[in-house]
Amino acid sequence: MNFTRWSARLPGTQRRAAAARAEHPVTTTDRRSEGSGSGSVPAARVEQLTDEPPPVPAVDELPAREVLDRVPALVALVHGTDHRLAYVNDAYTAAFGVRPIGEPAAEALPELRELGLMPLLDQAQRSGKPRTLKSRKAPDGRSYTFTCTPVPENHGESAVLVFATDVTDHAEAAERLRASERGQRETAVTLQRSLLPQELEEPDDLRIAATYHPGGTEAAVGGDWYDVITLGGGRTALVIGDVMGRGVRAAAVMGQLRTAVRAYARLDLPPHEILQLLDGLAMEIDANQIATCVYAIHDPNEGRLVYASAGHLPILVRDESGTVLRADEPTGPPLGTGGWMHASGSIPLGPGSTAVLYTDGLVERRNEDLDEGIAALERALSGATGTPQVVCDRLVRSAGVTADHDDDVAVLVLQHPARTGPDSELFRNAALELLGGVEAAPRARAFASGVLTSWRFPAELHDLGVLATSELVANSLQHGIPPMRLRLRRTDRRLIIEVTDGDDHLPRRRRAEPADESGRGIAIVATIATSWGSRRTPGGGKAVWCEFVLPKPSD
């Protein structure tokens, strides 16, 4: 076998050449006699020969087997189509034991078969090019990088030289690094999930599901978030947002914005005013960090979803017939840009409808236009039926979101169920226009009493409901202006009483002195009701409401 092309680099070659020169020094006289023919060699020629390095011994004369035996790497030589073992060096024998010469490699070198190296031998033999298998853990517990190099032989058969370098230290270091990265990622995902709601609030009139999928495999967390906030009076706020960028800073900004949204929601402001407050807060948190957000409010009495968008993707709503509507307008710039007056819009959300709020990770792809992704989501939503969780999972699957998805994905699905049969008896509405001045109060009490009796409420709850109605109507008659309206609503969980009027001055609970003739109405309502509140209505005026939690039916 010819090792000519490797021998100049084999370990020990240069040392042996130097030793040979020391044993047989070449003098100037010897070189002159060797180089002289029929005449003498010119002086310049003699000087040139003196300065040249001594000749290197012929590579063919090197004992190749002895060199390979002393190489610390694992070396084996196989030949023929069945890769019969021709040679293994001492390092190979020390690692895997004595191997029978002349046997096929599949039997003589079982460790190579276990590592899947047999196809690599065939490839190297057929192609005439080296093939490498990096960092494989062998049965001896060490990790090696194997290189199979074809070697032509004189008798026509080709041989393959297997050279294995021990890379255990590198492999262990890489595994420690991977383990550290996995730990950091798990910590980052835990942080991200801890900033999201641990349990979604469950409104009476909506069924809601949400999902969050962290993107990529690196430890950097994203800034996607969602939330569901019950506002009282049967209304529900829904929010989804996305802080641009990744990392702890984006997650921190997301956490602050989500906390602020919950605080602002308690003010029961219109969606565009909530975004206006968030915009100012985002600039204070970090002027260089922007975020997109949609804030929406569902009122079951209106059958619509009122929303405001700060640069976020449009809400999609599938009606009972399967038609999908897109809430494109109005949309303002992202939060943190400042100087923009946001506006509210609305989209129908009647019984049987399903709405989807989502972040860009669900629809944005590098090789596709964003509108194509939204259109694909519309098609998936049009055929999606079942519970909100089923719809949520189906939309995520249709978008091709996997564990190694390169962007965070947050999806919030809400359904307004179409209630029929016995279930519909648990969700009832009744309303009365308050006309006629002072006689409106007794008319309202009589109306409330009749409605609550027809709804078969227990006597105690019936009396509390009539009292709360009387106080709210009296407060509106004294401090409000027409038009005035009384609305009673029951769900499977609570009784809601609401009075609206044309004055936008919000009442507040105050302590009445013994001599005061007024100021006790709201205090009485706050005392007897489970909760109460007030808000300004979009067309001007206000609404004051209170709730009573219904007793659970006995088993």
Side-chain angles (χ1 to χ4, degrees):
M1 193 173 68
N2 189 354
F3 287 97
T4 301
R5 56 175 172 164
W6 299 315
S7 59
R9 296 185 181 181
L10 290 176
T13 300
Q14 296 180 356
R15 290 196 299 271
R16 292 191 184 89
R21 291 196 298 272
E23 293 176 4
H24 304 285
V26 182
T27 64
T28 304
T29 306
D30 293 335
R31 294 184 183 185
R32 184 181 297 117
S33 62
E34 290 174 2
S36 61
S38 57
S40 63
V41 178
R45 180 60 176 168
V46 173
E47 185 65 22
Q48 181 179 354
L49 291 174
T50 303
D51 293 340
E52 286 183 353
V56 178
V59 175
D60 291 339
E61 298 174 3
L62 292 176
R65 182 186 180 92
E66 180 182 351
V67 172
L68 293 177
D69 281 340
R70 296 184 180 183
V71 170
L74 279 58
V75 180
L77 182 69
V78 297
H79 68 91
T81 56
D82 54 354
H83 308 302
R84 293 186 175 276
L85 181 61
Y87 166 79
V88 291
N89 70 344
D90 295 343
Y92 199 107
T93 301
F96 299 116
V98 178
R99 292 292 180 259
I101 303 300
E103 296 293 328
E107 300 173 6
L109 306 174
E111 58 277 356
L112 300 189
R113 184 182 67 250
E114 294 177 13
L115 293 172
L117 226 69
M118 293 302 147
L120 210 66
L121 295 174
D122 294 332
Q123 293 174 18
Q125 196 173 58
R126 285 195 307 267
S127 66
K129 296 180 180 179
R131 293 289 186 267
T132 299
L133 193 65
K134 294 185 178 180
S135 190
R136 290 298 177 94
K137 195 168 186 178
D140 67 344
R142 310 287 293 176
S143 295
Y144 299 92
T145 291
F146 292 87
T147 299
C148 300
T149 304
V151 180
E153 292 186 337
N154 296 330
H155 48 74
E157 288 187 330
S158 61
V160 178
L161 184 71
V162 180
F163 191 90
T165 306
D166 191 332
V167 293
T168 304
D169 292 342
H170 297 285
E172 291 177 351
E175 181 55 36
R176 287 194 297 270
L177 179 59
R178 287 192 293 268
S180 175
E181 290 176 346
R182 286 194 298 269
Q184 292 178 14
R185 174 171 170 74
E186 290 173 2
T187 301
V189 172
T190 301
L191 168 64
Q192 170 75 328
R193 293 191 184 279
S194 68
L195 295 173
L196 295 173
Q198 302 306 300
E199 291 184 7
L200 292 177
E201 296 185 21
E202 298 180 358
D204 295 355
D205 295 275
L206 295 177
R207 298 294 176 262
I208 299 177
T211 187
Y212 168 73
H213 293 267
T217 55
E218 73 279 2
V221 295
D224 293 17
W225 93 93
Y226 55 82
D227 211 345
V228 178
I229 309 165
T230 53
L231 300 177
R235 302 163 74 248
T236 305
L238 307 118
V239 59
I240 194 164
D242 184 3
V243 177
M244 299 296 104
R246 299 180 67 80
V248 175
R249 183 58 182 166
V253 172
M254 177 270 281
Q256 294 177 80
L257 289 178
R258 177 176 174 258
T259 302
V261 168
R262 294 195 69 87
Y264 293 151
R266 299 308 173 191
L267 301 175
D268 212 341
L269 298 172
H272 64 276
E273 293 189 26
I274 296 290
L275 290 191
Q276 212 70 50
L277 293 172
L278 285 176
D279 186 36
L281 178 65
M283 294 183 65
E284 293 178 8
I285 294 174
D286 189 343
N288 298 320
Q289 192 84 57
I290 63 173
T292 64
C293 179
V294 165
Y295 183 89
I297 295 177
H298 175 256
D299 188 337
N301 297 300
E302 302 295 335
R304 302 185 70 82
L305 198 63
V306 180
Y307 68 92
S309 175
H312 204 79
L313 299 171
I315 300 172
L316 301 181
V317 176
R318 177 188 183 273
D319 64 18
E320 197 169 14
S321 66
T323 303
V324 177
L325 304 177
R326 183 189 299 192
D328 280 324
E329 298 294 341
T331 300
L335 302 176
T337 55
W340 182 267
M341 294 301 295
H342 291 274
S344 294
S346 68
I347 187 170
L349 187 70
S353 298
T354 300
V356 179
L357 290 75
Y358 52 96
T359 57
D360 58 0
L362 185 67
V363 295
E364 190 173 33
R365 301 292 180 269
R366 293 179 181 177
N367 57 347
E368 293 182 3
D369 186 77
L370 182 60
D371 286 336
E372 295 179 4
I374 297 175
L377 181 62
E378 289 179 342
R379 291 191 295 271
L381 178 59
S382 66
T385 58
T387 66
Q389 189 61 59
V390 170
V391 173
C392 197
D393 295 341
R394 182 170 178 178
L395 296 181
V396 170
R397 287 196 305 271
S398 68
V401 176
T402 58
D404 57 352
H405 194 65
D406 60 359
D407 195 6
D408 290 14
V409 174
V411 183
L412 185 63
V413 175
L414 56 135
Q415 288 181 346
H416 186 182
R419 307 185 188 280
T420 58
D423 194 29
S424 63
E425 296 295 321
L426 301 177
F427 291 81
R428 306 286 292 274
N429 289 280
L432 174 69
E433 300 296 331
L434 299 176
L435 304 172
V438 293
E439 62 270 19
R443 188 184 304 115
R445 286 193 295 270
F447 175 78
S449 178
V451 169
L452 297 181
T453 299
S454 69
W455 289 349
R456 300 178 182 178
F457 283 166
E460 182 181 359
L461 184 57
H462 171 278
D463 295 342
L464 290 176
V466 172
L467 176 58
T469 299
S470 178
E471 294 298 335
L472 291 180
V473 170
N475 185 79
S476 182
L477 290 173
Q478 182 175 358
H479 301 288
I481 59 175
M484 300 178 185
R485 193 172 190 234
L486 168 66
R487 183 161 58 191
L488 303 178
R489 176 173 174 78
R490 74 154 294 168
T491 69
D492 58 343
R493 305 176 196 172
R494 71 197 78 231
L495 166 67
I496 303 168
I497 303 171
E498 182 180 83
V499 176
T500 59
D501 63 58
D503 183 77
D504 61 1
H505 179 72
L506 299 180
R508 60 185 178 86
R509 183 180 181 182
R510 63 186 180 88
R511 181 175 180 178
E513 298 298 330
D516 292 343
E517 296 182 358
S518 63
R520 295 181 174 84
I522 295 300
I524 292 173
V525 171
T527 301
I528 65 175
T530 305
S531 60
W532 78 282
S534 62
R535 71 179 188 279
R536 291 186 174 88
T537 52
K542 66 177 179 296
V544 185
W545 55 268
C546 68
E547 294 181 350
F548 294 88
V549 175
L550 302 182
K552 294 182 179 179
S554 58
D555 296 333

